[in-house]
Amino acid sequence: MSAAKPRRRSDIKVEALPDGSAVLYDQAAKMAYPLTVSAARIWQACDGTRTVATIVEELAATYDASAQVIERDVRAFLRHLDEVHLLAPETEVAE
Amino acid sequence: MNVEERFDVFGYRFAFASPCPTACRRVGTLYDRFVVSAGPGDGRPTFSLNRERLSGRPMWNVRLDDELLASEPTLGSGLRSAEFEICTRIAAHRDDRLTLHAATLCSARGAVLIGGRSGAGKSTLAVALAARGYQLASDDVTLLHPGAPPQIYPLPRSLRLDGRSRKLLLRIGLKLPIGRQGFLTDADLDARPIQAPLVRVIVVLEPEPQDGRPLLTSVVQAEMVGALISQVAWRDSRELEALQVLAQLTAAAACYRLRRGSIEQMCDVVERSLEAA
């Protein structure tokens, strides 16, 4: 698995909601991004200290799905975050 | 002779004057909860609707004091223009409140907000629910005051129902008391005064029509914030504040997307969602 440690941009505002979902707001781009509960957890985990493998392990402990499925979903979400420029520039998201 | 009425709608004080008794009666009905008497030094702005000749043609002219805002060919379109101008200024006057394009209905269980793009069917569904006993507070604009939860201030508006909507409502037995001017208000539907109610359910109408039964899908609160953002009027520097207010609103409510079906079935699913909230 990749050794990359994804890090979220520090200037992105987060509105956390009581049901565990969250909305991200990129003030520079004036764009809002709603996140599901699981996506919000992945976002929180992107603190620059965890590898993708670690994030997958943490989620696998909570969700009733195979590590393979979770890894696929985590990588897809990280690619999306990268595409909309919500990750710090130095973060490399492997396929 | 000009007849003048004075109003205070959520802090925006204005007068409406017209020599046409029908115009005064219709505007008076729209804002009947907000009528006030004149106060000392009452220099409130005055909207007027007068039939005047412009370039030889008789037109219904909407003015704010001496400024011409709109010229319309009929009394009905003149009333709608005047009401639009008044509504715009009421919303602008309270810049401490967020303007949300959503219908608001109230019952003893709480309030339902119905959001969706223009033409999605908010007004039609709102009027159909009003026929079932819900109080129609607004079919179009609701002001949100920040708080946990936010206070809502539904703005009275004339109901905008096209021919298709009126036929749909007629099919369920609802004959609307639309006069010759086509200017229908929530007060015409026997709406009673609304105290700022708690929003229990938020429904966003999907734009695509669906054959068959309507589909009500529960959504996470963040998804509802995302859906409502496009229905908010805010100033450029206040997007973050708007997000916070929407987050406060959705945090206290059950949130759904509603794919359209027949009007009766849509009313049924919305009623059940409020019972379950």
Side-chain angles (χ1 to χ4, degrees), chain A residues 15 17-19 21-22 25 30 34, chain B residues 220-222 229 239 243-244 247:
Chain A
E15 271 301 320
L17 286 144
D19 64 357
S21 64
Y25 185 64
K30 295 191 191 305
Chain B
V220 295
Q221 289 159 347
I229 279 173
E239 300 98 332
L243 267 179
Q244 287 164 349

Side-chain angles (χ1 to χ4, degrees), chain B residues 25-95:
Chain B
R25 205 163 43 242
R26 298 314 293 148
V27 172
T29 302
L30 180 63
Y31 298 116
D32 66 347
R33 290 177 257 147
F34 303 98
V35 174
V36 294
S37 341
D42 197 324
R44 63 184 73 202
T46 301
F47 294 86
S48 61
L49 182 59
N50 296 301
R51 198 155 190 257
E52 301 164 358
R53 280 197 173 268
L54 274 185
S55 308
R57 290 179 58 204
M59 298 290 278
W60 287 93
N61 291 330
V62 179
R63 293 180 187 276
L64 174 56
D65 297 321
D66 292 328
E67 183 189 355
L68 179 67
L69 299 178
S71 280
E72 298 288 348
T74 66
L75 174 58
S77 56
L79 280 166
R80 283 186 290 279
S81 278
E83 182 257 332
F84 171 78
E85 296 290 344
I86 294 168
C87 175
T88 302
R89 285 160 180 81
I90 293 170
H93 177 71
R94 292 305 300 259
D95 66 356

Side-chain angles (χ1 to χ4, degrees), chain B residues 82-258:
Chain B
E83 182 257 332
F84 171 78
E85 296 290 344
I86 294 168
C87 175
T88 302
R89 285 160 180 81
I90 293 170
H93 177 71
R94 292 305 300 259
D95 66 356
D96 58 332
R97 293 177 181 172
L98 199 65
T99 303
L100 179 64
H101 287 280
T104 304
L105 294 116
C106 303
S107 75
R109 291 192 182 90
V112 178
L113 283 188
I114 302 174
R117 284 185 347 209
S118 193
K122 296 190 295 291
S123 298
T124 310
L125 179 56
V127 171
L129 284 166
R132 293 192 177 197
Y134 288 83
Q135 298 172 25
L136 176 56
S138 179
D139 79 317
D140 185 47
V141 177
T142 294
L143 304 180
L144 301 177
H145 189 87
Q151 297 254 293
I152 64 169
Y153 296 90
L155 209 49
R157 296 225 53 194
S158 64
L159 297 171
R160 281 150 300 287
L161 297 167
D162 59 19
R164 182 170 173 270
S165 294
R166 290 203 287 270
K167 277 187 196 154
L168 281 172
L169 293 167
L170 196 59
R171 239 180 264 157
I172 62 168
L174 188 57
K175 278 180 80 172
L176 299 171
I178 299 178
R180 281 171 50 199
Q181 307 81 30
F183 190 77
L184 185 68
T185 73
D186 54 358
D188 293 317
L189 303 178
D190 291 329
R192 288 176 294 286
I194 308 290
Q195 304 302 315
L198 187 62
V199 176
R200 291 276 187 214
V201 169
I202 308 172
V203 173
V204 167
L205 293 179
E206 301 265 298
E208 295 81 27
Q210 163 173 290
D211 296 324
R213 302 185 70 80
L215 185 62
L216 192 72
T217 310
S218 180
V219 298
V220 295
Q221 289 159 347
E223 188 179 338
M224 183 54 72
V225 171
L228 293 177
I229 279 173
S230 59
Q231 303 303 311
V232 159
W234 62 41
R235 288 190 202 153
D236 269 349
S237 58
R238 302 180 68 185
E239 300 98 332
L240 199 56
E241 187 182 337
L243 267 179
Q244 287 164 349
V245 176
L246 290 178
Q248 288 168 338
L249 180 73
T250 57
C255 302
Y256 302 95
R257 284 193 180 275
L258 177 59

Side-chain angles (χ1 to χ4, degrees), chain A residues 34-85:
Chain A
L35 300 185
T36 61
V37 175
S38 54
R41 286 197 58 184
I42 299 171
W43 172 259
Q44 279 308 308
C46 293
D47 57 4
T49 66
R50 296 173 169 86
T51 61
V52 175
T54 308
I55 294 173
V56 170
E57 271 172 36
E58 288 177 2
L59 286 175
T62 309
Y63 291 100
D64 186 20
S66 71
Q68 215 173 351
V69 167
I70 292 175
E71 185 183 354
R72 182 198 67 201
D73 291 346
V74 167
R75 288 191 182 281
F77 181 61
L78 290 176
R79 274 197 300 279
H80 172 66
L81 290 178
D82 193 40
E83 281 160 12
V84 295
H85 309 296

